[in-house]
Amino acid sequence: MRISKFGAQPRVKTRPDNCETHGPFDRKLIEAFDGDNRVLGCPNCHWEALNTAAVDSEAHKQAADLKRWRSLNARLFATGIALRFRPCSLDNYLTRLPGQAQALAVCQAYVDQFEECLDAGRCLLMLGNFGNGKTHLGCAILKSVVTRYGATALYAPAPDIIAALKASFAKGSEDTEQSILADLSAVDLLLIDELGAQGGTEFERHSLHTIIDTRYRNMLPTIITSNLPSSELSDYIGDRALDRLRQNGGEAIAFTWESHRGGEA
Ligand SMILES: [Zn+2]
């Protein structure tokens, strides 16, 4: 599986071990996206359990389960969701205020109808105050579509995108502007977090507009979070990009209630 510039891979710790049947091998401890790390034993035993053991045997079931887990774990890491947001799910988003329940309902519907959203390239905007769980909900949607639909997804904070693009201009950089834009255009669902959090130079506005526009032309959905209200967002990325984000039923959720960050238990 190809890992994008913004994605990650699980850490793997190895130590030498010995299989009674197959001899020496490297025992591996694989970092789990949800924190529940797993150990990989002898790779030859795993292969045999998967390919030559009876399909209804316990060994085969365990090996098949481990294979599925590794694949899903790798795809969740590839989203690049930062450690802090990995536990975020739709189920653990707190809804104390009516606006929060409404925001959650829109996000749940987006996941439930994701095949349709993907077909239509339907976007989602989460706008409003800092500390209201926009990133929580965005990451929860990414995890859900990867787990439930096998989709590819990527979490990319706008300041990180800009920093990566600027770094690509440096002499000797492995990345190019094109390779970074290609990474951001390759996934089924892209979450651009914190749009508008940085200064808003012409270069920044143009870059973000290009990403949104490229995904629009390829009919791929994008989720945007921003602390800018809708009116200022159009100044930031341009009316046309905002219009594209709202096409085909793209909803905008306004996070207008007071931030509860800091007072949160
Ligand atoms: Zn073995």
Side-chain angles (χ1 to χ4, degrees), residues 173-219:
S173 166
E174 280 180 19
D175 304 303
T176 63
E177 185 179 14
Q178 286 74 21
S179 71
I180 289 166
L181 294 177
D183 271 353
L184 296 168
S185 311
V187 287
D188 296 326
L189 182 61
L190 174 68
L191 168 60
I192 304 179
D193 199 22
E194 300 172 44
L195 192 134
Q198 68 277 50
T201 63
E202 186 54 37
F203 171 75
E204 291 169 4
R205 291 160 192 250
H206 174 74
S207 301
L208 292 162
H209 179 273
T210 302
I211 294 159
I212 291 166
D213 197 53
T214 305
R215 291 186 59 82
Y216 170 82
R217 279 187 277 111
N218 292 320
M219 291 190 73

Side-chain angles (χ1 to χ4, degrees), residues 69-82:
W69 177 84
R70 283 194 76 184
S71 167
L72 177 60
N73 192 51
R75 288 183 290 114
L76 286 169
F77 269 99
T79 62
I81 293 174

Side-chain angles (χ1 to χ4, degrees), residues 19-23 25 42-45:
C19 169
E20 284 183 8
T21 312
H22 302 106
F25 71 95
C42 168
N44 287 316
C45 286

Side-chain angles (χ1 to χ4, degrees), residues 1-264:
M1 185 174 67
R2 194 178 163 279
I3 307 295
S4 108
K5 166 125 194 110
F6 300 92
Q9 283 178 284
R11 278 177 305 199
V12 180
K13 284 183 190 163
T14 58
R15 70 174 172 81
D17 204 337
N18 192 63
C19 169
E20 284 183 8
T21 312
H22 302 106
F25 71 95
D26 281 334
R27 176 178 289 274
K28 292 181 178 171
L29 180 72
I30 310 278
E31 181 190 10
F33 191 81
D34 64 3
D36 194 10
N37 299 346
R38 291 213 192 178
V39 171
L40 302 190
C42 168
N44 287 316
C45 286
H46 177 72
W47 190 92
E48 284 174 8
L50 210 51
N51 296 289
T52 61
V55 174
D56 58 355
S57 67
E58 195 52 38
H60 177 82
K61 282 178 193 162
Q62 281 184 14
D65 173 68
L66 186 60
K67 190 181 174 191
R68 272 193 301 273
W69 177 84
R70 283 194 76 184
S71 167
L72 177 60
N73 192 51
R75 288 183 290 114
L76 286 169
F77 269 99
T79 62
I81 293 174
L83 188 59
R84 176 175 297 278
F85 302 117
R86 282 190 207 157
C88 296
S89 71
L90 295 177
D91 291 337
N92 63 23
Y93 179 71
L94 295 174
T95 53
R96 294 202 196 115
L97 302 164
Q100 292 170 318
Q102 175 61 22
L104 178 63
V106 173
C107 293
Q108 185 66 61
Y110 191 87
V111 169
D112 291 342
Q113 297 156 19
F114 183 67
E115 283 163 318
E116 199 186 315
C117 293
L118 184 59
D119 273 352
R122 184 175 302 146
C123 300
L124 187 61
L125 287 160
M126 301 196 218
L127 310 176
N129 306 340
F130 279 120
N132 273 328
K134 299 190 294 292
T135 304
H136 178 121
L137 287 173
C139 290
I141 291 175
L142 296 193
K143 281 171 55 183
S144 296
V145 302
V146 169
T147 305
R148 203 162 136 185
Y149 301 98
T152 54
L154 195 58
Y155 164 79
D160 292 12
I161 295 174
I162 299 302
L165 286 170
K166 285 182 176 166
S168 75
F169 300 137
K171 232 182 205 173
S173 166
E174 280 180 19
D175 304 303
T176 63
E177 185 179 14
Q178 286 74 21
S179 71
I180 289 166
L181 294 177
D183 271 353
L184 296 168
S185 311
V187 287
D188 296 326
L189 182 61
L190 174 68
L191 168 60
I192 304 179
D193 199 22
E194 300 172 44
L195 192 134
Q198 68 277 50
T201 63
E202 186 54 37
F203 171 75
E204 291 169 4
R205 291 160 192 250
H206 174 74
S207 301
L208 292 162
H209 179 273
T210 302
I211 294 159
I212 291 166
D213 197 53
T214 305
R215 291 186 59 82
Y216 170 82
R217 279 187 277 111
N218 292 320
M219 291 190 73
L220 290 168
T222 305
I223 298 176
I224 303 273
T225 80
S226 178
N227 66 320
L228 300 173
S230 191
S231 55
E232 288 177 40
L233 188 66
S234 67
D235 289 341
Y236 190 83
I237 50 168
D239 286 337
R240 196 172 68 148
L242 186 60
D243 185 50
R244 294 189 157 179
L245 291 167
R246 299 300 304 273
Q247 278 186 23
N248 294 323
E251 286 197 62
I253 311 172
F255 289 68
T256 49
W257 54 90
E258 284 301 303
S259 166
H260 55 231
R261 188 176 283 172
E264 195 63 80

